Amino acid sequence: MKENGRLQAAALPEVAHLKVHGRTNGSLAPLTLFWTGSALEFNIRGSELWIEAEADYDQHEPWISILINGFPVSRQMVTTGRHWICVFRGMNEQAVKNVRIMKELQAMSDDPGCLLQIHGVKYEGEFLPVADKPLKLEFIGDSITSGEGVIGAQSEEDWIPMWFSAAVNYTAMTARELDADYSVISQSGWGVLTSWDNNPGKNIPLYYGQVCGLLGGERNEALGALQDHDFKAWQPDAVVINLGTNDGGAFYSPDWNDPVSGRSRKQRLNEDGSFNEEDLQAFEAAAEAFLVMLRSCNPQAYLVWAYGMLGVPMLPAISRAVDSYIRKSGDTRVSVFQLPNMTPESAGARSHPGISAHEQAARALSGYLKELLHA
């Protein structure tokens, strides 16, 4: 592409106005995007904009979406190395464009080499302030919240980054409907007590207090992923917890064997196919303890346990856990909301909800949150 000689270059700390979404280490030199939905946002009056991105990975390459004035206009893999990526060019130089560079892929706990950073910009025009939205939302979840399968045909079964999307899943849709800023904490296959395969080390509450503690490797540690998250810096109006799907799946999965201790772990089924009461109670205790943690970290937020896009086998247990928490704490800003279930027609790739299922969930959830937050 022919070089525009009028472009100015700037490192991110030199940009007068920008906004970062999602948990970070606080640095702009460079900006590291850890979680799905994490993003860099600008308002720019000008005709052309580029970003300098850096990526690395051992197995799973990061992807980004570019949104202009709220609409996804570009989606691409970011290959290894440091590259200039054109965001837009040839646009009306007098019009102000809202631009968001969004990480499409979740934090990859099994690939410590996965990295996405933004170093700087080249642009023609000027940057303008980016205002905060009137509401703040936090979403906590698993593969559904990571947007796994929202991209791709129903026949696709490969577990690859291409089928993940943060830009067109229910988190982004709900936030857009409510005119809210938002942050996402999610990991495919993980739960409240165990992962889908009964691994007790893969549960979200273990790492909720850190910037992105489920990431391993020396580089992620050096980048501050294991540091305590500063909750006071960004307090949500509502926290949406979409967990329990993988805890339910664990009852139907084989034992997990600890490679260090040799001990096995299993959420058990009774002979009649019902959930073992002792194991169900362990899940309920973990869910209740997580609510205690969430309230401690988010003192004023509504806590909404939203569940159901892939069936509702754990709904009675979730409801009991929430009721128990409310009874013991006296905290009435906590509730359970059943999300509409995926249908054969609304399924996406990898037997996960597709775009239409996410749209339906977002409509229902945003309506519920609207009543809750404006009551």
Side-chain angles (χ1 to χ4, degrees), residues 65-361:
S65 268
I66 296 172
L67 292 84
I68 297 180
N69 295 327
F71 289 86
V73 297
S74 175
R75 183 173 186 270
Q76 59 190 283
M77 175 192 302
V78 185
T79 55
T80 300
R82 195 162 164 170
H83 317 277
W84 284 101
I85 297 173
C86 187
V87 177
F88 66 80
R89 61 185 297 272
M91 294 189 75
N92 182 343
E93 63 182 15
Q94 296 303 317
V96 177
K97 275 75 69 175
N98 176 262
V99 176
R100 187 181 294 229
I101 315 300
M102 180 181 290
K103 186 182 181 190
E104 286 274 79
L105 182 65
Q106 66 176 13
M108 298 303 284
S109 59
D110 292 331
D111 186 358
C114 189
L115 174 75
L116 179 62
Q117 296 179 317
I118 301 176
H119 288 267
V121 295
K122 289 192 296 188
Y123 63 100
E124 183 178 9
E126 63 173 331
F127 291 99
L128 304 172
V130 183
D132 288 336
K133 301 286 189 180
L135 292 174
K136 294 183 176 68
L137 305 175
E138 181 177 76
F139 296 90
I140 303 170
D142 48 39
S143 58
I144 299 171
T145 303
S146 290
E148 180 178 341
V150 75
I151 297 291
Q154 290 188 3
S155 59
E156 303 292 356
E157 290 296 340
D158 298 316
W159 200 81
I160 57 175
M162 188 159 56
W163 308 139
F164 285 77
S165 177
V168 291
N169 76 27
Y170 82 94
T171 61
M173 296 170 184
T174 300
R176 185 169 60 246
E177 181 66 26
L178 295 175
D179 194 25
D181 288 325
Y182 71 104
S183 178
V184 182
I185 306 296
S186 63
Q187 192 70 186
S188 291
W190 287 39
V192 183
L193 179 64
T194 74
S195 58
W196 68 274
D197 59 354
N198 286 289
N199 186 338
K202 292 186 174 182
N203 72 71
I204 296 294
L206 277 177
Y207 301 100
Y208 179 73
Q210 297 172 298
V211 172
C212 192
L214 52 77
L215 292 179
E218 293 182 0
R219 180 168 62 189
N220 285 313
E221 184 175 2
L223 286 171
L226 308 188
Q227 294 174 1
D228 290 341
H229 175 58
D230 181 8
F231 287 94
K232 292 181 180 179
W234 196 89
Q235 278 286 300
D237 296 287
V239 177
V240 177
I241 311 108
N242 187 353
L243 289 170
T245 299
N246 291 299
D247 295 278
F251 284 93
Y252 302 95
S253 296
D255 294 20
W256 177 80
N257 295 300
D258 188 335
V260 177
S261 69
R263 294 180 180 176
S264 64
R265 175 68 178 267
K266 175 77 174 79
Q267 293 292 91
R268 297 162 294 177
L269 292 173
N270 298 321
E271 290 185 2
D272 62 0
S274 60
F275 294 148
N276 176 274
E277 186 63 27
E278 183 181 353
D279 294 340
L280 204 56
Q281 288 175 359
F283 166 80
E284 293 174 27
E288 185 176 344
F290 192 33
L291 289 170
V292 173
M293 177 191 296
L294 289 172
R295 175 54 73 221
S296 174
C297 297
N298 307 283
Q300 301 303 318
Y302 283 94
L303 307 180
V304 178
W305 205 299
Y307 167 76
M309 293 176 72
L310 289 177
V312 293
M314 301 300 287
L315 186 58
I318 290 170
S319 297
R320 287 193 297 269
V322 170
D323 288 345
S324 177
Y325 167 77
I326 294 173
R327 187 172 61 253
K328 293 176 184 177
S329 66
D331 184 355
T332 59
R333 296 165 71 89
V334 188
S335 59
V336 177
F337 181 74
Q338 185 174 338
L339 294 167
N341 199 16
M342 179 187 78
T343 66
E345 294 74 26
S346 65
R350 292 189 43 77
S351 303
H352 276 66
I355 290 177
S356 60
H358 280 266
E359 289 173 339
Q360 187 179 12

Side-chain angles (χ1 to χ4, degrees), residues 34-52:
F34 290 110
W35 296 97
T36 186
S38 297
L40 178 62
E41 183 181 3
F42 305 102
N43 281 335
I44 178 172
R45 180 188 288 118
S47 62
E48 191 166 336
L49 175 65
W50 296 64
I51 59 163
E52 187 180 21

